Amino acid sequence: MLWNTLLLALREIRRNVMRSFLTVLGIVIGVASVITMVTLGNGATQHVTTQIASMGSNLLIVTPGRRMGPGQQGMAAAFKSEDAQAIAREIGSVSAVAPASTGAATAIFGNENWSTSITGTTSEFVALRNMSLESGRNFTTSEAHAGAAVCILGQTVREKLFGSQDPIGQRIRLGSLSFQVIGLLEGKGQSMGQDQDDLVIVPLRTFQRRISGNQDVRLIQVSVRDGASTEKAQQDIRLLLRDRRRLAVGEEDNFQVMDTKEISTMLTGTTQVLTGLLGAVAAVSLVVGGIGIMNIMLVSVTERTREIGTRLAIGALEREVLLQFLVEAVALSSLGGLFGILLGLGASFGLKSVLRIPFVFDPGIAVIAFLFSAAVGVVFGYFPALKAARLDPIEALRHE
Amino acid sequence: MVASSQTSGTPLIELRDVTKVYGEGQAAMQALAGIDLRIEQGDFVAIMGHSGSGKSTCLNILGCLDSPTGGSYCFQGVEVGQLTRDQRARLRRYYLGFVFQGYNLLKRTSAIENVELPLIYRGVPARERHQIARRTLAAVGLEGWESHSPSELSGGQQQRVAIARAIVADPSVLMADEPTGNLDTARSEEIMDLLCRLNREGGITIVMVTHEADMAEYAKRIVHFRDGRIESDEQNGRTN
């Protein structure tokens, strides 16, 4: 009986292809958005995780501010260069330390200008960030110490200012100051819509004196010696900085020392919250789609009143008529869900190259989306089906 | 000659003092005011009367589509008035067939699928269902029209499909409500000949409501309704 009912429902849907399609369009769009959001979100999460993992497991990042939750930070005083020097000097398991501060400025060469980000740091930064020089050289210790006006360019900045010209030895202006280009970084490409080659690196002291005008250090990157315990180094740095920042016993840290695992948890936490929110918005359109189905099913019941009367006269039970219309609504919404899943997967597959994130198919979410769309059919199909089943056969047969 | 019939055990249909009132209080309208009627297996009864005489109400009650307000209706000894909605549906499914004035075939559904419908509700397997429906369509003279949809058939042909649908499940009684109401005389006569043949050869009991005397003449027995009562109930002289 159920099989027959299903065939009957499918035939009814096929009979009115255009109307059926428009009816389930809401469900299709809803499911497609949910699938796209979740698939892209998963891709972004995976992308972030791989990227951070590539930074190496022995990297620690020290930032000022209290940890509050995924993506949130409380305000706190910045570090000073001395903090970084103290870490390098006093903690034995540390192999390299690179303090860094970042700002924005316009780089100018000849008639070309380009807005970019400027990072003031030490010569260790390039290696710590897994970057390498394509040509030219890194800062020398004396340049760093003296705050010399020298800079290293990312590929994007070179391309915008110099085209195919060799930039090494040329002078460019950053803000009001003239800098000599001493090095060129190798290209790293895009990451999640962000150009990783759009930067200029200058010595930290130069940055503090000539660009930011203060002694703040926004970030300290620390590399732990191979074989040494990261947790131990993390703990040592924490105690050292607590001491240097004069925190009383019982007072909370106003800075964080994160290893790569924590950073990736923090970043993916943000993407996941965002994915969840977007998914929830998309789910609302599923409910709207359900109302569309209810509407058309009610129209269908009215249109087919005589048919229902005939079926009842022939001996259909109330629950058989109910089942017939319910199965029809569920078949409609499930088909919509199926189309939505395919559409969503197709859209995410198409967008993956635009956003440069991997395509991560999660079968779980596809199953959930399908079941949810079927459930929408049950919920919104029940009332029209009940209306059909409760019809008085005599009245229904007389219906014009 | 009221309620004449040869008494032999339990009759197929027995109405005793059946009343039907629509509405309540001031607005109450008495459609049937005490009907006594016995119909034996194999009979062909035409119910006649003007509109408002209660003949359609009576057919609805006989067809178990409606319950009487008072009195008793026994179908093969079973008191229909006490059955639930679903029990009455089952009774219709297994013992009754319906033919309507407006044919009531399912639109955009082939003739054979229309005929198969009662078998689906009876749970007959697809292959068998198909064979029976094909045979029944042939029996009403529509061999070769199986895959046509109602809109491709003439009125007479549609009514034949409806008759095939009504008899496909081998019911005890065929209830026909103005079966020739939408047809011209020639088509009407064809339909009546078909019903007579089914009654004569298949032994199927037929209860038919009509207001056309010509059509009633085909029946073995003619019952006249007036104002919710039976005015006359006579065996028809004509033999067929």
Side-chain angles (χ1 to χ4, degrees), chain B residues 77-95:
Chain B
V78 176
E79 179 56 56
V80 176
Q82 284 162 11
L83 299 179
T84 64
R85 192 179 148 129
D86 273 357
Q87 284 172 322
R88 278 189 280 131
R90 284 214 169 78
L91 199 152
R92 293 196 294 273
R93 177 187 299 185
Y94 291 105
Y95 298 101

Side-chain angles (χ1 to χ4, degrees), chain A residues 11 15 306 311-312 320, chain B residues 92-93 104 109 113 121:
Chain A
R11 203 163 63 195
R15 237 179 235 169
R306 270 171 89 99
R311 286 178 184 276
L312 288 170
E320 285 167 341
Chain B
R92 293 196 294 273
R93 177 187 299 185
N104 280 353
T109 304
E113 283 171 324
Y121 287 109

Side-chain angles (χ1 to χ4, degrees), chain A residues 11-218:
Chain A
R11 203 163 63 195
E12 205 56 52
I13 290 167
R14 221 176 38 224
R15 237 179 235 169
N16 249 322
V17 177
M18 189 63 185
R19 183 165 92 179
S20 303
F21 174 72
L22 291 174
T23 304
V24 299
L25 201 56
I27 298 277
V28 171
I29 292 171
V31 169
S33 335
V34 170
I35 294 285
T36 311
M37 289 306 151
V38 172
T39 307
L40 291 181
N42 285 344
T45 305
Q46 200 198 58
H47 182 67
V48 168
T49 315
T50 359
Q51 278 231 315
I52 289 169
S54 77
M55 285 162 73
S57 57
N58 58 348
L59 189 74
L60 295 178
I61 303 237
V62 188
T63 51
R66 194 169 289 135
R67 181 84 184 262
M68 290 167 85
Q72 291 177 310
Q73 277 184 345
M75 292 303 291
F79 299 118
K80 302 286 173 213
S81 302
E82 290 72 30
D83 292 320
Q85 284 158 15
I87 292 171
R89 191 173 59 238
E90 287 174 34
I91 293 166
S93 55
V94 161
S95 65
V97 177
S101 270
T102 309
T106 306
I108 302 165
F109 176 72
N111 293 326
E112 307 295 330
N113 66 80
W114 180 247
S115 288
T116 183
S117 94
I118 301 184
T119 301
T121 184
T122 60
S123 55
E124 281 93 345
F125 183 82
V126 172
L128 271 175
R129 270 286 169 97
N130 260 354
M131 296 191 279
S132 50
L133 290 166
E134 189 184 276
S135 61
R137 59 177 180 82
N138 209 329
F139 321 127
T140 61
T141 321
S142 62
E143 276 168 346
H145 206 256
V150 291
C151 65
I152 301 172
L153 302 186
Q155 285 292 344
T156 305
V157 181
R158 178 198 60 83
E159 191 193 310
K160 296 294 176 185
L161 295 186
F162 295 95
S164 53
Q165 248 182 292
D166 180 18
I168 305 294
Q170 303 283 1
R171 297 195 76 83
I172 62 167
R173 281 167 67 87
L174 291 171
S176 56
L177 201 69
S178 171
F179 283 75
Q180 188 182 18
V181 179
I182 57 165
L184 178 63
L185 293 169
E186 253 175 29
K188 290 199 87 172
Q190 296 234 340
S191 157
M192 290 171 66
Q194 225 184 351
D195 186 357
Q196 294 187 291
D197 298 322
D198 189 6
L199 84 168
V200 176
I201 298 173
V202 301
L204 179 62
R205 176 155 290 186
T206 319
F207 181 87
Q208 288 171 334
R209 275 193 199 154
R210 310 288 181 135
I211 293 164
S212 70
N214 59 42
Q215 298 295 302
D216 291 354
V217 168
R218 284 281 152 206

